[in-house]
Amino acid sequence: SKQWYQRRVAITAGEAGKPWVLPVVKKAESMLAADETLNKEYLSMGGLQSFTDAATRLVLGENSRLVNEDRAVALQTLSGTGALHVAFQFISQFYPGCKDILVSNPSWGNHKLMIDRLPGVNFVQYAYYDPETMGFDLEGMCRDLEAAQDGSVVVLHACAHNPTGIDPTMEQWLKIAEVCKKKSHFPLFDLAYLGYASGSFDQDAASIRLFADLGFEFIVCQSFAKIMGLYCERIGCMIFAGRTAEISHKCLSQMKIIVRSIYSNPPAHGARIASMCLNNRDMRAEWEDCVKEMHARIRRSRSYLHTALKTVNAPGSWDHILAQNGMFSYTGLTKAQCELLIEKHHVYLLKSGRISMCGITQENAKYVANAIHDAILNAKEN
């Protein structure tokens, strides 16, 4: 029915029912269209350097010692997924340590999908989410990192953990880093949501900078799909930080060969947009305001749903929705409850209970809350 269709769209789109193209992105595209000096020639295998240099500084800081000593190198990738794929390929072929790749339980489904398809590496999970508290299981995570083989690769969500929305505090990050240092683990940061957790780039990158300050070698896989709204442009960046500049550049050379074997070179248009937003002072300020607004909107969405669930007296405590960060919430709903939401109410979420907070608006929050209430009371558990 038309009513069902409108509800479905409202629950899967933005505040106004449409995806938001950032005004600063539109401005950049207009400037690029008017620039007669640009052409459609290939970028190099490493991508647009003005973009990768700025993306590296965004993550590591303008005064990063790694950048100043030429120990942080980067290449443009096909969004965050491409960065992860190149990183996992590099680990599969060249990493000298243990080939176990430790990933949080739960994590983004593509992590396992990519790792399982590569030779010589093993997908291993570590504890992260505590279903009893609907919070972070620091003790379980540290226990599993301690039990892992020395020199394992550890995939860490730098901020706005996907799918739980639960992030460690800086004190907890320090404990995680201490265990990784003791076990000689190699950190690989998945950074898809810089700015979404707190509204601040510096605050959301603090976990990575902590590991940098402690002397780790590491990889960062960064996406600009969410934080610039450049989903279809496939813009990402992979940063490698080594002990020496020589090591870093040798590794970068091998990563470029991996790129050559997969897609040869990355797309220019989105990289030019991102470079302008990162390097032009006025456009950078406008972009940062856009990210702050996206962060604030997600916080409002959490508040809308939390208030609506309380209003309809949905059983249980829903404070975890406010405590979590980023685009997603791990609701705590069971598989059967999620299936009822999908089939009866057309509220679409993963059967793990993960829901996209971006789809919650002031207009549909009560509908979603009533649907959740109904699912809790009437879903038939197997």
Side-chain angles (χ1 to χ4, degrees), residues 6 21 30 53 132 134 141-142 164 184 191 199 208 236 261-262 277 280 307 324 347 351 363-365 381:
Q6 288 174 335
V21 180
S30 296
D53 285 351
E132 295 298 320
M134 296 185 188
M141 179 176 178
C142 290
T164 68
S184 301
L191 183 62
I208 299 171
S261 72
I262 304 172
C277 293
N280 179 293
T307 299
Q324 294 165 2
V347 175
K351 292 179 183 179
E363 288 71 29
N364 68 32
E381 300 293 341

Side-chain angles (χ1 to χ4, degrees), residues 249-304:
H249 283 274
K250 284 182 177 179
C251 290
L252 180 64
S253 177
Q254 295 301 323
M255 291 168 180
K256 288 180 178 178
I257 293 172
I258 293 171
V259 165
R260 174 64 175 164
S261 72
I262 304 172
Y263 54 86
S264 289
N265 35 60
H269 183 67
R272 288 167 176 162
I273 294 171
S275 179
M276 292 176 74
C277 293
L278 287 164
N279 289 301
N280 179 293
R281 186 176 62 181
D282 292 339
M283 295 176 76
R284 170 68 174 260
E286 187 175 348
W287 171 54
E288 290 184 5
D289 286 343
C290 288
V291 174
K292 288 175 182 175
E293 172 54 30
M294 288 188 283
H295 162 74
R297 185 196 173 280
I298 293 170
R299 297 309 308 176
R300 291 195 299 271
S301 294
R302 290 184 179 278
S303 180
Y304 297 151

Side-chain angles (χ1 to χ4, degrees), residues 61-327:
E62 291 294 334
N63 299 311
S64 166
R65 183 177 174 183
L66 289 170
V67 173
N68 293 337
E69 295 177 359
D70 199 27
R71 290 192 287 129
V73 295
L75 62 132
Q76 180 187 334
T77 59
L78 301 184
S79 203
T81 304
L84 285 162
H85 188 70
V86 172
F88 291 146
Q89 284 264 19
F90 176 77
I91 290 163
S92 172
Q93 295 179 35
F94 299 106
Y95 181 60
C98 172
K99 294 298 181 79
D100 289 347
I101 302 180
L102 279 56
V103 178
S104 65
N105 182 19
S107 191
W108 184 47
N110 240 3
H111 288 148
K112 179 174 173 56
L113 197 63
M114 286 187 275
I115 294 167
D116 281 350
R117 282 160 173 74
L118 289 172
V121 293
N122 308 304
F123 176 84
V124 180
Q125 290 184 305
Y126 60 81
Y128 191 88
Y129 175 72
D130 183 348
E132 295 298 320
T133 64
M134 296 185 188
F136 175 47
D137 184 4
L138 175 64
E139 182 179 346
M141 179 176 178
C142 290
R143 180 192 63 239
D144 288 350
L145 295 183
E146 284 268 14
Q149 293 190 56
D150 289 0
S152 296
V153 177
V154 183
V155 176
L156 300 165
H157 298 236
C159 65
H161 182 273
N162 179 4
T164 68
I166 301 165
D167 294 331
T169 65
M170 286 311 298
E171 183 180 356
Q172 291 170 331
W173 272 117
L174 180 57
K175 291 181 180 178
I176 294 165
E178 288 170 349
V179 176
C180 288
K181 177 70 76 172
K182 175 184 175 183
K183 297 288 292 184
S184 301
H185 292 330
F186 182 88
L188 190 160
F189 290 95
D190 188 341
L191 183 62
Y193 304 101
L194 185 67
Y196 269 40
S198 68
S200 163
F201 297 135
D202 291 334
Q203 190 170 328
D204 284 2
S207 58
I208 299 171
R209 296 178 190 180
L210 171 65
F211 278 72
D213 291 343
L214 292 173
F216 281 88
E217 291 185 301
F218 58 86
I219 288 174
V220 179
C221 297
Q222 185 181 16
S223 170
F224 284 80
K226 289 86 177 172
I227 63 175
M228 280 189 185
L230 298 176
Y231 288 90
C232 68
E233 303 292 353
R234 310 313 293 147
I235 301 303
C237 181
M238 190 186 75
I239 303 165
F240 179 87
R243 287 194 305 276
T244 67
E246 182 182 10
I247 290 172
S248 295
H249 283 274
K250 284 182 177 179
C251 290
L252 180 64
S253 177
Q254 295 301 323
M255 291 168 180
K256 288 180 178 178
I257 293 172
I258 293 171
V259 165
R260 174 64 175 164
S261 72
I262 304 172
Y263 54 86
S264 289
N265 35 60
H269 183 67
R272 288 167 176 162
I273 294 171
S275 179
M276 292 176 74
C277 293
L278 287 164
N279 289 301
N280 179 293
R281 186 176 62 181
D282 292 339
M283 295 176 76
R284 170 68 174 260
E286 187 175 348
W287 171 54
E288 290 184 5
D289 286 343
C290 288
V291 174
K292 288 175 182 175
E293 172 54 30
M294 288 188 283
H295 162 74
R297 185 196 173 280
I298 293 170
R299 297 309 308 176
R300 291 195 299 271
S301 294
R302 290 184 179 278
S303 180
Y304 297 151
L305 183 57
H306 179 263
T307 299
L309 287 164
K310 294 287 189 182
T311 300
V312 303
N313 293 315
S317 171
W318 298 97
D319 292 346
H320 57 283
I321 289 176
L322 297 178
Q324 294 165 2
N325 292 313
M327 285 180 65

